[in-house]
Structures are given as C-alpha cells and as structure tokens.
Amino acid sequence: MNTKEKIIETALRLYNQEGIRTVTTRQIAQEMGISAGNLHYHFKHTEDIIFTVFEQLRHDYDEMMVLFQKKDVIFQDLLLEFTWGSYQLINKYKFIFVNFVEICAWIPAIGDSYRNLVSQREEQFVSLFGHYSKLGMFRQDIPIAILKGFVRQIFIISDFWSSSFSVLGGRFESDAFEDYKRTVEVAFYPYLI
C-alpha cells in the first residue's frame, strides 16, 4: 500500500470515528507518523481527501453493480446479496452517509458526481427491472416514469437510511442490518411478483 492509499485508509477510519469537522490533515498525518508536508504533497486540502474517499465509495458501488450481470439468478436472491453489500458499504463509509448533505454543500464536486451517478444508475436499474419483468419476477405493468421514481427512492433509502436509523434510536451494533433489509424489502414489495 502506497502513502496515498494509507492516507485515505487512515482518514476514512478517523472520519468514521470522530467526524469530518473535528479531524484535521495534521491529525491524519500524526496518526500515520508522517509530516503534514508529506500528506499535503498527496492531498492539498481536506476536501481533496474527502472527494477521493467519495470516489472510492462510488467505485465500490460500481463493482457491486457487476452482481446484476448474473441474469439467471432469482431476483429476490440478487436483492438480498445487493442489500448486504450496500449495507457493508454504508458501514465502511459511515461518515459520508451521516454527513452527506453537508458534504455536498461543502464540496460541490461531490454533489455533481452524485447527480451523474444517479442518472447512470437510473438507466441500469430500469434495464434490470425490464429484464426481470420478462422473466416473470418483476411486475410488467409499471410505467417507466414510476420505475425511474422508484430508482430515486432506492437511492434515498441507501443514502439516508443510516441517518434515519440513528435519529429513530436504532443501535448499529445489534439490529441495523435487519432494519435496513426490511426497509429495502418494503420498498421493493409492490414491484415483485
């Protein structure tokens, strides 16, 4: 692992533990045992580190989309696998999900990247739903505008579930995945056959 990768790994751990507004680049460098100058050689600003972490998250989700190339899998099984993978990413990048609105306001490039991602995923999910409709696992009578709206709901669930769960008093150490899974299942329920 090179220095840049170690910086990202350390920053991610510290942001998840302490939050984005309390962790400084100096603290990240100190945690790694390198000089602040060495860190700033790789990342000029805190925003550059956070943007890189967000792009890493986006890449991890891109890799999960490969699951949807398994066209012969029962949709409910695929959904469970995707739900588990998505939940793992929510935990890995916790600080992004907890502070997403603030991060997008602070670092507009992340908001731009996210909007592009949602547009790209809309096409992928609508195509996937069409495939499973033909296989008789997904309803065929859903208008395209409703399917696109449903894709947006999927993003709302994935990206803002952890904040809602925390505010409603959920405990991440015990019942989080079951709550997340149930939330996803309820969203998909009207669309499945």
Side-chain angles (χ1 to χ4, degrees):
M1 183 180 297
N2 64 36
T3 302
K4 193 170 185 176
E5 291 168 336
K6 288 178 185 173
I7 292 168
I8 292 301
E9 182 181 88
T10 304
L12 177 57
R13 181 173 43 79
L14 290 174
Y15 290 144
N16 281 341
Q17 289 172 353
E18 300 179 31
I20 57 172
R21 291 297 182 185
T22 59
V23 175
T24 65
T25 53
R26 185 173 303 283
Q27 184 181 355
I28 295 167
Q30 184 178 5
E31 181 79 14
M32 293 178 61
I34 64 173
S35 69
N38 191 354
L39 184 142
H40 288 292
Y41 171 79
H42 296 284
F43 297 99
K44 297 286 184 216
H45 306 284
T46 300
E47 293 88 340
D48 300 327
I49 296 171
I50 293 172
F51 182 80
T52 302
V53 173
F54 177 79
E55 287 299 306
Q56 185 175 297
L57 166 62
R58 182 180 173 152
H59 173 75
D60 287 353
Y61 265 112
D62 286 343
E63 287 188 351
M64 273 185 35
M65 291 302 292
V66 173
L67 285 173
F68 293 132
Q69 294 174 5
K70 300 178 180 180
K71 300 290 186 178
D72 56 343
V73 177
I74 295 171
F75 187 79
Q76 285 83 344
D77 294 342
L78 182 64
L79 181 60
L80 180 59
E81 190 174 349
F82 188 79
T83 301
W84 175 247
S86 176
Y87 177 76
Q88 294 292 98
L89 293 180
I90 289 169
N91 279 328
K92 180 177 179 182
Y93 298 96
K94 188 183 335 180
F95 86 94
I96 290 177
F97 291 97
V98 169
N99 302 285
F100 194 57
V101 173
E102 179 185 359
I103 288 171
C104 287
W106 178 24
I107 309 168
I110 290 178
D112 293 341
S113 180
Y114 179 75
R115 282 185 288 282
N116 290 334
L117 176 66
V118 170
S119 178
Q120 176 188 355
R121 291 289 188 260
E122 182 179 273
E123 292 176 27
Q124 291 173 318
F125 277 110
V126 168
S127 173
L128 177 76
F129 298 156
H131 170 76
Y132 279 101
S133 290
K134 290 174 187 168
L135 294 178
M137 296 180 213
F138 205 89
R139 284 181 47 192
Q140 296 178 358
D141 61 338
I142 308 294
I144 192 74
I146 300 297
L147 284 177
K148 288 180 177 182
F150 178 52
V151 172
R152 184 164 180 216
Q153 287 178 332
I154 293 168
F155 269 87
I156 291 169
I157 291 168
S158 177
D159 299 337
F160 299 100
W161 166 84
S162 63
S163 296
S164 172
F165 183 72
S166 293
V167 169
L168 294 174
R171 296 172 316 194
F172 279 90
E173 52 285 339
S174 62
D175 52 359
F177 177 66
E178 284 306 311
D179 185 85
Y180 182 67
K181 184 175 89 162
R182 187 171 44 255
T183 303
V184 171
E185 288 170 347
V186 167
F188 272 89
Y189 182 80
Y191 300 94
L192 301 179
I193 295 177

